[in-house]
Amino acid sequence: MIETVGVVGLGLIGGSMAKAIHTYTDCTLYGYDTDGAVLSRALNEGVVSAALTPEHLPECDLVIIALYPEATVAYVTEHRDHFRKGGMVMDCGGVKGVVCTPLESVVRDSGFYFIGGHPMAGIERSGYAFSFPELFQKASLILTPYPGTPEKCLKDIWQFAQKLGFGHLQPSTPQEHDHIIAYTSQLAHVVSCAYVGSPSAPSFQGFSAGSFKDMTRVAKLNEDMWTELFLENQDALVREIDTLVEELAAFAYTIRRGDRERLRDMLKHAREIKEAIDKDC
C-alpha cells in the first residue's frame, strides 16, 4: 500500500501529480523543486506537507520523478542509497531508453524498484502555475518495468494511479515505448512546428477554423524539454519524419499531376485508416 509519496520536480506533470495526490488521496506528500519559489508556493498552498529531503526519502513508499531524462538519471544515481528498501521509484519522462538503460545497473543491488513511467497527459503550457489535479483523468499510464519487477509493485502503482484519475494501464518495454512514442507524440510536435513555420502562418486571421487550431496547438511547447526528448530518441523520430516526408511527396506529386483518381484513392485510404483507429480508441 502506498501511504507516503515524494514528488521530485513540480512542473506541469510533477505539479499536477502532487495536486492530484493531495486532492484524491490521504497520502503524506513531500515535494522538491530546484526553483525555491515553486517549492514555497506548493508548501504555502498546502499541496505538499514538507520539502522532500534525502532524510525523507527512506520514508517514501513511492518517489515520483518528474524531471528531464538526464536529470532523472542523475537524481536516482545520486540518491540510490537513500530510497526506502523495497520502495518504488517511478519517472515520468517522455523517453524511456535513455533513462531505463543506464539506471538498470544503478538500481540492481540498491534494494528499491525502479519502474519507467510515462503519463500520457499534457497541455500546451508548462510549469507549476499551469498544473492542476484533473490533468490525468482517463489518461493512459505507460509503465516499462525491468524484467523480474515484482507484480505487487505494478499492482500497487496502478491502484494508486487510478486514484489520481488514470483510466488505462499500458505495459511496454523501453524500446517499444520509444519507437511508438516517436510517432504518436514526437512527430506530431515536429509537424506542428514545421507547419507554423510557413510564411503563410501570420495571415491566418479570419481564414482559420478547427483544423488550423488542431494543427498548431502543440507548437506552443517547452523548447528546452522537447529538444532533449527529440535528440534522445533521434533514430526513431528521424525514421518517422522520413516516412512522413515520403507520404507528403506522394501527395504533392499526385496533386501536381492532377491525378484525380489517384488522389481520391489516397484520401479514401487515409479516411479508412482513421476510422479503423477510432474504433480501437
Side-chain angles (χ1 to χ4, degrees):
M1 181 179 294
I2 296 173
E3 297 180 337
T4 303
V5 182
V7 177
V8 181
L10 298 173
L12 175 67
I13 297 299
S16 295
M17 281 282 187
K19 290 177 181 179
I21 294 167
H22 173 70
T23 302
Y24 301 121
T25 80
D26 295 323
C27 292
T28 298
L29 178 61
Y30 298 113
Y32 171 78
D33 196 272
T34 56
D35 187 333
V38 168
L39 179 57
S40 294
R41 180 171 176 180
L43 288 166
N44 292 335
E45 292 175 351
V47 172
V48 300
S49 304
L52 177 65
T53 65
E55 290 71 30
H56 286 308
L57 287 174
E59 303 174 30
C60 297
D61 303 304
L62 173 65
V63 177
I64 299 171
I65 303 179
L67 303 173
Y68 293 178
E70 290 183 4
T72 295
V73 174
Y75 185 90
V76 175
T77 302
E78 179 182 353
H79 296 283
R80 61 188 295 178
D81 296 326
H82 298 130
F83 297 116
R84 186 175 73 78
K85 304 303 180 184
M88 297 170 290
V89 178
M90 182 185 77
D91 85 308
C92 297
V95 287
K96 297 269 71 79
V98 297
V99 172
C100 295
T101 299
L103 284 181
E104 189 166 11
S105 61
V106 172
V107 305
R108 184 176 293 124
D109 300 315
S110 297
F112 65 92
Y113 300 104
F114 179 82
I115 297 97
H118 187 182
M120 296 304 296
I123 57 174
E124 60 274 21
R125 301 278 188 172
S126 62
Y128 181 82
F130 297 102
S131 63
F132 59 101
E134 298 83 14
L135 180 63
F136 308 109
Q137 294 299 312
K138 299 183 179 180
S140 175
L141 176 63
I142 303 173
L143 295 180
T144 61
Y146 296 125
T149 301
E151 190 65 31
K152 184 179 184 304
C153 289
L154 305 181
K155 182 178 179 181
D156 286 349
I157 285 179
W158 177 232
Q159 289 179 342
F160 179 74
Q162 286 178 295
K163 294 179 182 179
L164 308 187
F166 285 94
H168 177 71
L169 173 64
Q170 181 61 56
S172 183
T173 65
Q175 296 75 23
E176 180 188 41
H177 169 277
D178 290 354
H179 168 71
I180 297 177
I181 218 71
Y183 173 71
T184 60
S185 176
Q186 294 179 346
L187 182 64
H189 287 77
V190 170
V191 170
S192 187
C193 290
Y195 182 70
V196 298
S198 168
S200 300
S203 304
F204 81 93
Q205 197 67 42
F207 293 86
S208 65
S211 56
F212 180 82
K213 293 179 181 178
D214 291 342
M215 282 289 292
T216 59
R217 182 179 68 83
V218 294
K220 194 172 184 179
L221 44 66
N222 179 335
E223 59 271 17
D224 294 324
M225 180 183 75
W226 285 100
T227 294
E228 184 169 333
L229 294 177
F230 287 171
L231 293 181
E232 289 177 336
N233 199 28
Q234 59 182 275
D235 290 343
L237 179 55
V238 168
R239 281 196 299 271
E240 294 297 339
I241 293 173
D242 288 343
T243 298
L244 178 62
V245 169
E246 292 174 4
E247 291 289 326
L248 290 172
F251 269 100
Y253 176 75
T254 302
I255 294 169
R256 187 178 294 115
R257 290 182 62 203
D259 189 339
R260 181 181 295 272
E261 287 305 313
R262 173 62 181 154
L263 178 58
R264 183 182 181 280
D265 288 343
M266 292 171 71
L267 296 173
K268 179 174 181 288
H269 179 63
R271 173 179 58 77
E272 290 173 344
I273 291 175
K274 173 58 176 170
E275 290 174 349
I277 292 172
D278 286 348
K279 290 179 181 178
D280 295 330
C281 291

